[in-house]
Amino acid sequence: MNNHHAAGAGAGQHAAAPAVPPRLSGERRNSAAKWSLSTIAEADRAAILGRKKWPQHVAALSATLTSLVGGAVLGWTSPILGRVHILGPIGSWVASLAPLGALVGAALAGWAANSAGRRTLILALILPNLAGWGVLVAVGNNVEEALAEKVDMLYAGRLLTGLCAGAATVLVPMYSSEIADSVTRGTVGVYLDLSLTVGILLAYIVGGWGGQTVLSGLCGALSIFAAAVFFFMPESPQFLVVKGRRAEAEEALRWLRTGSSAPPPKGQNGPRGDVTSELDAMTRLAVESEERERASGGILGAVRGLCGKGGASPTSRAVVLVVVLMALQQLSGIDAIIFFLQTIFQKSASSLDPTTSSIVVGVVQVAATLVAALLVERAGRRLLLGVSGSLMAASLAALLVYFLFHKELEVDLNAFSWLPISCLSAFVFVYCIGFGPLPFLMMAEFLPLEARSWGCGLATCVNWSLMFVVVRVFNLLLNNIGEAATFGIFCAICILGTLFVLTLVPETQGKTPTEIRQYLQDREIHTVTRRMSTPGGVV
């Protein structure tokens, strides 16, 4: 990702190799000195298209099973609190404590990811997950009684399950990005949001018809299943390379690229079985990342980079882009709508009952995320974000007009009782093809290796912090300024988000981290040519 080294190595065979930090010695030193990123890109240009893709999809989907349980944490509020009409301060706290716990989980995951590893931490989430869902099972189905006698248990259960959801949104994007090649990276990056939406739909269906105890028990069982499946998946090869465990990294990468960890027969090393060049690229990336980490000073260096006389550093720009995308995602109001969907339908006098309406919106979420998985490597990230933001604003504007006439002007809109569910379904659909999955995907793409752990933690903490704020104040806004003004605020933020994307966010489709960093370094952060790029394993 250090462009001066990469360019020099590609320009002439006699260009000096970058100095290898003492910590990167032995095998990693030799590999880093021998290979340049441009040389490896040529070697892998044909190989990447000849390799199997299914192992990458299997590993990414296995990782996202934990996020599916996290989606149920988000969807829990609507059927459980909505069915007993708990809209006061206690209900707001029960809803918002999950994002608060997620904030803590994201911070801890970002801090520990570089030392403990992505796979190890994802597996470790089973313990707080089981504890949290077990506490909620003990609360029982009578939530109204629990608010009077077991409110501390409700708070504890929501905090623990929220902690796991927050940690997963840091670890899963990092893992998925680091196991995927550049051709597959966009699709597997969408799996996080797909699992969240499936989890939300699960909560709407099971919570709406089975109650709190059944939903919590099922989520506890799914936590065990998720850990059991992911146990058989490999650790991120990039993480193993950074830790000097090259033999393990080679075995993991070979399985991810071929479906078998066994080396190819002697003399039969083809593009499918030989992952040496890709490992050398990862080693080079680790060398350069360590150099930059020592020179920049981590998160404090990124802050200084924003204020430097020579302009912001590429890492600083990447962090700003990611943080703003995360903030726009939450300030659009999506999770306030997800958390209190049944409440919104009750206020809108929709022709469908609130539980059925919520399930319809949940199905739309899942369908839209599947569409996003199909489009993300065809249409590109920036186009999908622009379309998503503009149509989200249009959907909220229509909802604003409906509530303005229905509530403020008291116009009889029985003939248009279908409009709220249509507007909310449209809003959720277009959110899920752009602003839902892509900020998490682009977070892992923008952030360089040396800043990925703390950068992902920071951006995800911003995301969950704003979710906590929005969920906490949503009912206050509804009760004090009305539905029309509340949705008007969210609509304005979506318009601003669309303008931000179209003017400042670059396209990352098919780009290697080196190319993305070069665009940020050259300050060309709004015009990026779309072309096929390699190598896929350099993450």
Side-chain angles (χ1 to χ4, degrees):
M1 292 176 62
N2 187 316
N3 300 290
H4 299 295
H5 292 323
Q13 295 180 356
H14 302 290
V20 181
R23 201 171 68 186
L24 294 169
S25 58
E27 195 172 14
R28 290 199 291 166
R29 175 190 290 272
N30 296 333
S31 297
K34 181 179 178 182
W35 290 90
S36 71
L37 288 179
S38 56
T39 302
I40 296 164
E42 291 300 323
D44 277 358
R45 186 171 298 279
I48 187 176
L49 298 176
R51 289 173 177 165
K52 296 178 180 179
K53 304 299 182 205
W54 67 261
Q56 300 172 53
H57 292 281
V58 169
L61 285 170
S62 299
T64 58
L65 286 174
T66 301
S67 307
L68 187 150
V69 181
V73 176
L74 303 181
W76 183 94
T77 304
S78 179
I80 304 306
L81 299 186
R83 71 194 306 180
V84 293
H85 310 293
I86 302 170
L87 304 176
I90 295 179
S92 293
W93 272 114
V94 171
S96 57
L97 277 177
L100 189 62
L103 169 62
V104 177
L108 291 175
W111 169 72
N114 275 352
S115 55
R118 289 68 159 133
R119 176 180 176 273
T120 301
L121 289 178
I122 292 174
L123 288 173
L125 292 179
I126 186 176
L127 299 177
N129 244 334
L130 283 177
W133 291 114
V135 169
L136 290 176
V137 168
V139 166
N141 265 334
N142 194 334
V143 179
E144 288 180 291
E145 179 182 309
L147 288 170
E149 301 177 3
K150 304 176 183 178
V151 67
D152 290 342
M153 295 178 66
L154 272 176
Y155 288 165
R158 292 288 287 166
L159 273 171
L160 284 171
T161 54
L163 184 146
C164 295
T169 54
V170 173
L171 298 169
V172 171
M174 292 172 64
Y175 180 82
S176 298
S177 175
E178 292 177 354
I179 66 169
D181 58 43
S182 61
V183 175
T184 314
R185 191 177 63 221
T187 301
V188 301
V190 174
Y191 289 161
L192 170 67
D193 202 61
L194 176 62
S195 65
L196 290 173
T197 57
V198 171
I200 291 169
L201 176 60
L202 178 73
Y204 288 168
I205 296 174
V206 178
W209 290 336
Q212 199 280 134
T213 303
V214 175
L215 173 59
S216 298
L218 178 60
C219 288
L222 284 175
S223 300
I224 299 174
F225 176 74
V229 172
F230 189 61
F231 179 80
F232 297 98
M233 298 300 111
E235 177 59 274
S236 156
Q238 183 69 74
F239 170 78
L240 294 172
V241 166
V242 169
K243 293 300 181 182
R245 296 153 61 182
R246 184 181 172 93
E248 295 175 59
E250 182 175 359
E251 184 177 318
L253 188 60
R254 186 176 292 112
W255 185 86
L256 289 165
R257 299 295 180 261
T258 69
S260 172
S261 58
K266 188 175 182 180
Q268 297 184 22
N269 279 357
R272 288 179 179 269
D274 186 10
V275 295
T276 304
S277 61
E278 198 169 342
L279 278 174
D280 287 326
M282 290 182 177
T283 302
R284 175 103 179 183
L285 184 61
V287 171
E288 295 175 348
S289 296
E290 185 172 322
E291 290 175 338
R292 287 195 301 269
E293 185 178 19
R294 289 206 316 256
S296 66
I299 187 170
L300 294 178
V303 174
R304 289 194 296 269
L306 287 173
C307 307
K309 293 181 180 179
S313 67
T315 298
S316 301
R317 292 194 184 101
V319 171
V320 169
L321 284 172
V322 168
V323 167
V324 174
L325 284 174
M326 288 294 190
L328 289 171
Q329 183 195 68
Q330 284 306 317
L331 293 175
S332 70
I334 180 63
D335 280 301
I337 292 172
I338 296 301
F339 274 51
F340 298 106
L341 197 55
Q342 289 200 18
T343 300
I344 296 171
F345 282 125
Q346 288 165 3
K347 288 180 175 289
S348 69
S350 172
S351 56
L352 290 177
D353 72 272
T355 299
T356 303
S357 299
S358 299
I359 293 172
V360 169
V361 173
V363 171
V364 169
Q365 272 189 294
V366 175
T369 310
L370 289 172
V371 171
L374 296 174
L375 292 180
V376 67
E377 291 297 357
R378 294 173 173 83
R381 284 70 153 149
R382 189 163 169 263
L383 175 61
L384 287 178
L385 281 173
V387 171
S388 175
S390 58
L391 294 182
M392 284 164 64
S395 303
L396 290 173
L399 200 60
L400 181 161
V401 172
Y402 175 87
F403 277 111
L404 180 65
F405 280 91
H406 178 60
K407 291 286 188 177
E408 307 295 332
L409 303 179
E410 298 183 351
V411 176
D412 184 5
L413 294 179
N414 285 335
F416 297 94
S417 60
W418 50 268
L419 192 61
I421 189 173
S422 300
C423 290
L424 288 173
S425 296
F427 174 80
V428 168
F429 183 91
V430 295
Y431 167 84
C432 287
I433 66 170
F435 266 96
L438 297 187
F440 286 102
L441 166 61
M442 299 177 80
M443 173 179 70
E445 291 182 325
F446 277 133
L447 293 171
L449 182 61
E450 72 275 10
R452 191 168 295 161
S453 182
W454 65 261
C456 287
L458 173 64
T460 310
C461 282
V462 169
N463 185 288
W464 287 104
S465 298
L466 290 174
M467 182 192 295
F468 170 77
V469 172
V470 171
V471 171
R472 187 78 182 89
V473 305
F474 181 67
N475 276 321
L476 296 176
L477 291 174
L478 289 181
N479 295 330
N480 287 280
I481 66 174
E483 293 85 354
T486 300
F487 289 114
I489 293 172
F490 294 146
C491 178
I493 292 171
C494 289
I495 293 172
L496 292 175
T498 303
L499 295 175
F500 174 80
V501 167
L502 297 180
T503 56
L504 293 174
V505 176
E507 179 58 77
T508 59
Q509 178 192 3
K511 306 300 174 189
T512 64
T514 302
E515 291 173 313
I516 295 171
R517 183 177 179 84
Q518 184 64 57
Y519 286 116
L520 294 174
Q521 185 167 319
D522 294 342
R523 304 183 190 179
E524 297 174 2
I525 62 173
H526 63 282
T527 304
V528 180
T529 56
R530 284 170 48 194
R531 52 190 170 84
M532 173 64 72
S533 177
T534 57
V538 184
V539 179

